[in-house]
Amino acid sequence: MRLRDVSIRAARSLKQAKARTLLTSLAIGVGAFTITLSLAAGVGGRAYTDQIVSANTDIKELSVAKAKPQEQQGPQKYSDTSSGVATGLFAGQYLNLDDISKIKQIDGVVSVSPNYNPQVRYISGPSGDRYLAALSTFSPSVTLKLAAGSTSGDLADNEIILTEAYVTALGFSDDQSAVGQTVNIVADKLSSPLSNPESRTFNYVVKAISSKSGLAFRAQSTLLLSNNASKTLYDYINQGTRNYGNFTVTAVQAVSADKTNTIKQTLTDMGYFAQTAADILGVINTFINVLQGILLGFGALAVITSVFGIINTQYISVLERVQQIGLMKALGMRRRDVGRLFKLEAAWIGFIGGAVGSGLAVIFGLVVNPIISKALDIGDVRLLIFEPLNIFIVVAGLVLVAVASGILPARKAARLNPIDALRTE
Amino acid sequence: MIEVKNITKTYGKKDNVFRVLNDVNFTIPDGASVAILGKSGSGKSTLMHVMSGLDRPDKGQVVIDGQDILSMNQKDIDKFRSTAMSFIFQSFFVQANESCYDNVSLPLEIANVPTKKRRSKIEAALKAVELIDKKKSRARELSGGQKQRLAVARAIVNQPKILFADEPTGNLDSVTGGVVEDLLFDYNKRNKVTLIVVTHDEDLANRCDIQIRIKDGEIESVKGKK
Ligand SMILES: Nc1ncnc2c1ncn2[C@@H]1O[C@H](COP(=O)(O)OP(=O)(O)OP(=O)(O)O)[C@@H](O)[C@H]1O
Ligand SMILES: [Mg+2]
């Protein structure tokens, strides 16, 4: 018997038992739904973290600290030679200027930019109103979403990138007209005596306006200066204080991305704690993978349950159709074809379940994606990404699972003695 | 020609052996109509199953056109059955959920007849049993007599050489039974097809060329018209 004829007959007998077919498929559909969703969430999640990391870090960059921060196990011993930091959660040591210059010597290191994060007094613009501001260092290879202006290469030392929120606050009429204008930042020299405080105004030209993006954490809240400008501010503010030249972390730029691992090794050998962008991504991705694994586990559980459903349904189907099987065998249908008929029925059940389940998952994704994006305030980023190949693999895999579940009932049908079958009235 | 030689068939083991067929021998010429008669439980159906290769006897041969079908392997015997034989049963065994067309199509599909050639064969068979207007109806909607006519159409659609009928009129009243009988004998005469009918019905048996009587698994008599 031809495969085509067998599969038409298989589909027809499923159609005759619609309710049963659908209910059995439903079980496998639940599995398909969960698995498809977990795969989509994995793909979407990893893509999302990829984008986050590339929007906030540079793949050529390493983040270096004095030593791996330790969870605080009781009070830490004080040491005169190295200054330390202690928060409620962890204790660690600062990097000092010695460390910075040592790191600069390492082969493959282009530059070292400690996180200056200068603590300025305020920023003001044409309106004269004063605002608090957090500043950080601009990195040319970090993707920014710009509302106005543009950055080609690095920032000049007298340039600043504002965020959209500051535009109207500082007194500019719109994003575009702010570009090219000057803003003032006022900083205090901390080492100046209280009786005679000293402060200075620094002027910057607005180079660009960064807009709020679901990806760029820094761009949302901090104003960006060039590395040198940050250092100048930092030096002015902190020079002469006890904490001057102490940094919790520093960014280290490598010549190329493939150098980062050897640099990391050197740094580790020297006793520093270094992380590449890939490490940071890896930590986030491990988290996503664990979540995805849990979801996949639920999906697999549903599939395993549905296996018993299929076996049960197909056994009942064989018992119900003893006469039909007997007749077909009497008419010369081969055992192999009888077996195929039942395996194909199982395959159809698997296909319907897989297609319906993953189809519903895709619809679910379409509905839920904008809701999630809105709730998490991540703009137009999609957290569920359905890859056609993944869906194909899920459906094909479930068809195989269904066929495998159908093997035992199919064998029972194939081995049925036609005479016994035809005797049953 | 069908030669049945020394067929013995037993059921059960050791102390409880039950001989259903005991050294059965006879010969049926091509194109003959044959009635197998006997009391209930005498072994008629078993004999028919053995002759068609559905059942394996303990001993003996069934030689059809010079070939012992019992020595064939399962694949060949299935093929032989799908191309050269067909069956009609007392309780019809039509597929209630399928259309008449699909019911008749089944033997052609099993015999690997190409899709294009099926339609004309199916329609010819349905015409022969006067069910062509019910082509698309489901078999469950048919009356008993119509169901058996559908079974006849299914049996003749692939132009078999041998047609087995196990009490084909057993579930029908005499008038509808008569119609089915007429169809079978008509087909037998016109196409020179060997017709083997298992029956209780003496009138039906008398319409056959040969009457084989079985009693307790043994041949009681073989009578021919000539
Ligand atoms: N699988 C089996 N196991 C044991 N005995 C069997 C089996 N199949 C058939 N028999 C016995 O073989 C004998 C012949 O059965 P068979 O069906 O051939 O009778 P029959 O002549 O066709 O009867 P009927 O006219 O009632 O159809 C019966 O006594 C039956 O009980
Ligand atoms: Mg019988």
Side-chain angles (χ1 to χ4, degrees), chain B residues 172-217:
Chain B
L172 302 175
D173 63 69
S174 57
V175 181
T176 38
V179 174
V180 171
E181 272 176 37
D182 290 345
L183 278 172
L184 291 178
F185 284 106
D186 204 39
Y187 190 73
N188 156 253
K189 292 279 138 20
R190 243 188 247 173
N191 299 284
K192 304 274 179 282
V193 165
T194 309
L195 173 68
I196 299 170
V197 192
V198 171
T199 185
H200 281 114
D201 183 347
E202 290 291 339
D203 293 335
L204 171 55
N206 286 331
R207 290 181 68 174
C208 294
D209 304 334
I210 302 170
Q211 291 85 29
I212 299 173
R213 272 169 215 278
I214 300 189
K215 193 180 175 192
D216 299 334

Side-chain angles (χ1 to χ4, degrees), chain B residues 44-45 166-167 198:
Chain B
K44 306 182 295 291
S45 294
D166 194 349
E167 317 223 16
V198 171

Side-chain angles (χ1 to χ4, degrees), chain A residues 265-283:
Chain A
Q265 193 52 52
T266 317
L267 284 165
T268 311
D269 292 345
M270 289 164 74
Y272 295 107
F273 175 65
Q275 277 184 302
T276 61
D279 291 337
I280 297 166
L281 184 61
V283 171

Side-chain angles (χ1 to χ4, degrees), chain B residues 108-158:
Chain B
L108 298 179
E109 289 170 33
I110 290 174
N112 279 331
V113 175
T115 320
K116 281 181 216 153
K117 291 191 183 163
R118 288 181 202 159
R119 173 174 287 270
S120 61
K121 283 178 188 264
I122 295 168
E123 285 177 353
L126 283 172
K127 260 184 208 135
V129 300
E130 289 170 29
L131 280 177
I132 190 69
D133 51 330
K134 298 267 182 200
K135 190 165 88 171
K136 296 213 171 82
S137 313
R138 298 211 165 197
R140 71 153 62 90
E141 293 156 17
L142 301 182
S143 70
Q146 286 171 326
K147 277 183 186 150
Q148 196 63 309
R149 269 150 58 199
L150 182 62
V152 172
R154 184 178 63 197
I156 63 176
V157 70
N158 202 22

Side-chain angles (χ1 to χ4, degrees), chain A residues 420 423, chain B residues 11 18 20 38-47 167 200:
Chain A
D420 294 341
R423 242 183 245 287
Chain B
Y11 279 117
F18 177 62
V20 184
K39 279 200 208 120
S40 179
S42 55
K44 306 182 295 291
S45 294
T46 307
L47 178 59
E167 317 223 16
H200 281 114

